[in-house]
Amino acid sequence: MESSEEKTDADLQSQIEEIEALSSIYGEEWCVIDEASRVFCIRISDDTQKPTWTVCLQIILPPDYPSSAPPIYQINAAWLRGPDRRALSNSLEELYVENTGENILYLWVEKIREFLAEKSQSAEGPETGKTMTTEEDEHDYDEDDLPDYSVLKPANQSSPLFSDTSDDEEPLLIKHGETITDRRSTFQPHLAPVVTPKQVQRVLNNLYENKKIASATHNIYAYRIYLEDKDSFLQDCEDDGETAAGGRLLHLLQILDVRNVLVVVSRWYGGILLGPDRFKHINNCARNILIQEGYTDTSEETSKAGGKNKRSKGKKTK
């Protein structure tokens, strides 16, 4: 009978061989994020020459993959929401069940590529006006086009967005912060505690089910998850068409040394260019809700944000 140590060694060797094969097959599309923590990503498109639909598959390989555990994965694509995201996730999980104990990543990548190719044939393309609009693209809006923000709850109320949970998953608490409005553009932060990429995706899915949030011109997000056993961070961000905004938001989370949290800032563009001020509002929104929810309590940050200083035990670990 194979010992636990022998099984771990076999899994590690299998992972090494699989990663080498994927790197050889996909070339520059394959990216090593953190080799020590076994974090990788691959960019997948419907067409390598003229891509219309593209996603980034981020993967963490646990020590007991492939023998007895699946890869932990997250699909990053601002346009992929609702039924399409659930259908793709279900197809990947079905593939794993059908091939339990075997290397699955190549099958996953090709399944996603097949999904994108089918979508390319049946649709015109992603909602480019929604996902690719930046500050440089000016639009005219009527007052009636602006959403009603009153439907979103303030930060001191829990959100009922728990529909994407199963019996063995704890519901995720999503908080909605106060809005900032400047020249008809409105910004609103949302926050949720997360400890796995799967939870990040559940939160994003649930947020996008809110029609007002889904209608935002941009939903910029960043998250940091502390991997205690490896003393390292799993982190990522998304601009959603607001160029460089996601990286700036992630940098704020790093400066504040917050962990195990996802922050999303929705922006509804009002038709007037804000220039660099838009980045200030995005980060101020994020800082405010982090302070309100107890993720940072330094007097300097509280003074900057004008928010209430509330410390929640265990949310930030030095």
Side-chain angles (χ1 to χ4, degrees), residues 35-255:
E35 187 168 9
S37 299
R38 319 301 288 165
V39 183
F40 310 90
C41 73
I42 180 168
R43 184 179 177 86
I44 309 166
S45 302
D46 59 324
D47 188 315
T48 56
Q49 301 300 320
K50 295 181 178 180
T52 301
W53 302 88
T54 301
V55 303
C56 179
L57 177 66
Q58 186 167 308
I59 302 156
I60 304 176
L61 300 181
D64 47 355
Y65 165 81
S67 65
S68 56
I72 301 168
Y73 74 94
Q74 177 179 328
I75 304 170
N76 293 325
W79 58 265
L80 185 61
R81 297 175 179 170
D84 280 346
R85 182 177 286 279
R86 286 193 290 272
L88 181 55
S89 295
N90 288 340
S91 66
L92 297 187
E93 289 163 16
E94 287 172 2
L95 260 181
Y96 172 76
V97 172
E98 292 170 1
N99 298 273
T100 301
E102 301 176 15
N103 297 100
I104 195 69
L105 298 184
Y106 176 79
L107 294 178
W108 274 8
V109 172
E110 292 309 308
K111 172 59 74 172
I112 293 173
R113 199 182 304 279
E114 178 184 317
F115 172 87
L116 297 178
E118 290 175 356
K119 196 158 188 63
S120 180
Q121 295 173 1
S122 63
E124 295 180 355
E127 299 175 25
T128 53
K130 163 66 181 69
T131 59
M132 298 304 293
T133 303
T134 66
E135 184 72 18
E136 289 74 26
D137 300 317
E138 186 170 2
H139 298 278
D140 293 324
Y141 285 77
D142 295 328
E143 291 291 342
D144 293 340
D145 292 334
L146 298 177
D148 176 11
Y149 308 107
S150 63
V151 301
L152 302 181
K153 295 184 177 181
N156 61 355
Q157 296 184 34
S158 297
S159 166
L161 304 175
F162 301 147
S163 58
D164 195 35
T165 63
S166 61
D167 293 339
D168 60 343
E169 293 176 332
E170 292 184 5
L172 297 173
L173 294 175
I174 304 174
K175 301 287 187 172
H176 303 292
E178 298 296 331
T179 60
I180 293 176
T181 301
D182 180 10
R183 286 163 279 179
R184 299 183 65 197
S185 278
T186 297
F187 302 79
Q188 183 175 37
H190 322 282
L191 177 150
V194 293
V195 294
T196 67
K198 186 175 182 181
Q199 288 182 343
V200 171
Q201 197 55 65
R202 283 172 54 205
V203 172
L204 293 174
N205 290 346
N206 283 326
L207 283 173
Y208 295 145
E209 287 175 4
N210 183 304
K211 292 182 179 179
K212 296 302 179 184
I213 296 175
S215 72
T217 315
H218 312 288
N219 282 302
I220 304 108
Y221 72 79
Y223 68 86
R224 295 185 86 215
I225 296 171
Y226 181 58
L227 305 174
E228 188 170 356
D229 57 333
K230 301 181 184 300
D231 192 26
S232 63
F233 285 92
L234 175 63
Q235 53 192 17
D236 199 4
C237 60
E238 170 61 49
D239 294 337
D240 195 17
E242 187 70 284
T243 306
R248 290 169 183 253
L249 181 57
L250 178 58
H251 185 56
L252 174 69
L253 301 189
Q254 293 168 337
I255 290 174

Side-chain angles (χ1 to χ4, degrees), residues 277-290:
D277 283 350
R278 68 194 190 275
F279 299 120
K280 176 183 70 176
H281 296 321
I282 290 167
N283 275 15
N284 280 344
C285 272
R287 186 184 292 111
N288 285 346
I289 198 168
L290 285 166

